[in-house]
Amino acid sequence: MDRTLRVGVIGGGFGRNHILAFQVCDNVEVAAFCQRTQSRAERMAREFHIPNVFTDYRQLLALKELDAISIAAPPHLHCPVALEAFSRGLHVLCEKPLATSKDEAATMLAAAQAAKKIHMTAFNFRFIPAVRRMKELLEEGYVGKRIFHLDAVWLTEARINPETPLGWRYRKEMAGIGALGDTGVHLIDLVRWLVGDFNRVCGHAAVFNEERQLVERTGKGAVTVEDSCIFLAELAGGIQAMIHASGVARGSIFQSIRIFGNDGVLRVDIDRKAPGWVVGKLWGAQGRNANLQPLSIPERLTQGLNLSDPKRVQGEVIFSNVARRFVHGMRTGEEAIPSFREGLEAQRVIDAVLQSLERKSWVKVA
């Protein structure tokens, strides 16, 4: 199938990266865009020369000759939008977290399989070159035959300002989850992909700004999702893990993963304030009392990256890898990984962490 594929993007904000990614794919047209606010939707459509613009996703889904949609709307809309899209014979790429619960995620996966359509979860940080090289080295046995423990952090200051209005990210009925779903879900997926599944978890979460001004400025409302979440986990094979996702870490837009084995250690850092952050940095050490040393990232993992425009780099570099896999799946019928299945597995972990917060105890991932 060599014809031009027509994609509709639903949601502003990170939807910009979806548009940038599809526009650098071969023979793909972003044919429609939907955002709730008319003026913003029209402005985005003008900027990217998108011919059809809507404020209601149902109108976009009813557009004839679409092949697929890309969902960048708030999480509470992921399930209803995806289900309607599958019913109309469309392929679906969906932002993370895939849903607001594992039951919703399972419903989405079942609908995708029943419709026999390509489905993909936007775990785009799998495509950071330093992370991909870490994966290769782990498979080659760099840290040894056995992994003992790891730690992973995702730190931002996005939730620290008490003057930020009570938008959807602070409301459980729309976001489902706070920092754990916003950024921690990426760490959950990366840990699963790099070393294996989660067996059980035990978490602690905190809300540091308990009230915020309503968007309408008519008073204040309660923040109903966490600003920060840290949890311990037991992974397959008895691996110990500590994962921390915070939106109140001043001065940070930073991710790091360290993996310790019986014969070595690997560390990847992604400092999004640094030039060329999209490549990442990788360190490693092997043997007793060895010092961490910078490790090179093969050119084959960075070839063709255009890092010249910081405003476009995340969409055109990281997210374009997701979009290209999605497009390849539509053309060939091959599964696009990470699929909804990976989104569901990450959601199982999130649900278990949320249960552990309520019970204040360890919870088995089911």
Side-chain angles (χ1 to χ4, degrees):
M1 185 172 60
D2 296 326
R3 66 173 176 84
T4 297
L5 297 173
R6 303 178 80 229
V7 178
V9 175
I10 299 172
F14 206 78
R16 171 180 292 272
N17 288 318
H18 290 230
I19 295 169
L20 286 167
F22 282 115
Q23 288 191 335
V24 298
C25 292
D26 294 332
N27 292 329
V28 175
E29 176 192 1
V30 180
F33 175 69
C34 177
Q35 190 172 6
R36 184 176 55 183
T37 305
Q38 182 78 33
S39 59
R40 293 180 180 178
E42 291 177 347
R43 185 164 58 248
M44 187 85 83
R46 285 195 302 270
E47 180 181 352
F48 293 105
H49 308 289
I50 301 172
N52 300 287
V53 58
F54 304 96
T55 57
D56 187 329
Y57 75 83
R58 298 173 188 85
Q59 294 176 322
L60 183 146
L61 293 176
L63 190 65
K64 294 182 179 179
E65 298 181 356
L66 277 184
D67 296 289
I69 63 163
S70 196
I71 304 173
H76 76 292
L77 291 174
H78 291 183
C79 186
V81 173
L83 295 186
E84 184 168 344
F86 289 131
S87 74
R88 293 179 177 271
L90 300 173
H91 307 283
V92 179
L93 168 61
C94 187
E95 263 302 328
K96 53 73 198 169
L98 182 60
T100 60
S101 70
K102 64 182 181 183
D103 291 340
E104 273 194 354
T107 298
M108 294 168 69
L109 175 59
Q113 293 172 330
K116 298 182 179 179
K117 293 299 175 181
I118 299 301
H119 48 93
M120 195 170 186
T121 308
F123 286 134
N124 50 307
F125 275 77
R126 287 191 184 196
F127 300 97
I128 294 282
V131 176
R132 298 195 75 78
R133 183 57 180 158
M134 173 184 267
K135 171 75 168 175
E136 292 177 348
L137 291 173
L138 288 169
E139 291 175 347
E140 293 169 10
Y142 185 95
V143 303
K145 294 182 178 180
R146 186 178 180 188
I147 295 172
F148 295 135
H149 53 88
L150 67 83
D151 58 66
V153 299
W154 191 301
L155 307 176
T156 80
E157 58 179 37
R159 297 172 181 267
I160 204 168
N161 184 359
E163 302 304 317
T164 302
L166 188 70
W168 67 263
R169 291 184 185 276
Y170 302 98
R171 299 166 58 187
K172 185 176 179 62
E173 68 270 22
M174 299 181 75
I177 318 128
L180 180 62
D182 193 19
T183 57
V185 68
H186 275 302
L187 295 178
I188 292 168
D189 177 66
L190 289 174
V191 169
R192 287 192 66 253
W193 183 57
L194 290 167
V195 302
D197 285 325
F198 288 73
N199 287 339
R200 59 181 186 142
V201 295
C202 184
H204 179 271
V207 180
F208 294 102
N209 294 302
E210 295 183 350
E211 286 188 328
R212 293 182 179 273
Q213 284 283 346
L214 299 176
V215 175
E216 301 83 4
R217 300 292 181 180
T218 56
K220 289 190 174 183
V223 173
T224 51
V225 294
E226 75 284 353
D227 290 323
S228 176
C229 182
I230 186 168
F231 69 93
L232 302 177
E234 178 192 281
L235 308 180
I239 299 171
Q240 292 180 316
M242 182 192 75
I243 296 176
H244 187 191
S246 174
V248 290
R250 179 62 80 189
S252 298
I253 309 180
F254 180 80
Q255 298 95 51
S256 179
I257 299 174
R258 297 188 299 172
I259 300 174
F260 300 86
N262 67 299
D263 196 40
V265 56
L266 286 168
R267 180 181 117 197
V268 67
D269 288 346
I270 305 165
D271 182 355
R272 293 173 66 176
K273 291 186 177 181
W277 67 268
V278 73
V279 175
K281 303 288 186 181
L282 183 64
W283 286 267
Q286 291 179 300
R288 186 175 180 180
N289 295 326
N291 294 320
L292 280 170
Q293 300 292 333
L295 300 179
S296 62
I297 298 171
E299 186 177 346
R300 59 183 164 78
L301 296 178
T302 60
Q303 193 170 19
L305 297 190
N306 178 9
L307 308 178
S308 61
D309 188 343
K311 293 182 179 180
R312 302 175 71 90
V313 69
Q314 187 165 352
E316 292 186 348
V317 176
I318 304 179
F319 208 86
S320 66
N321 282 295
V322 175
R324 287 189 175 101
R325 287 194 174 203
F326 183 59
V327 170
H328 178 76
M330 285 193 285
R331 294 195 185 280
T332 65
E334 295 178 16
E335 184 179 19
I337 297 174
S339 69
F340 278 15
R341 188 173 293 103
E342 283 72 36
L344 169 59
E345 293 304 323
Q347 195 68 50
R348 293 186 197 278
V349 178
I350 288 175
D351 281 19
V353 173
L354 295 178
Q355 289 178 25
S356 80
L357 298 177
E358 294 178 358
R359 300 179 187 177
K360 298 182 180 179
S361 65
W362 285 87
V363 169
K364 185 176 180 180
V365 176

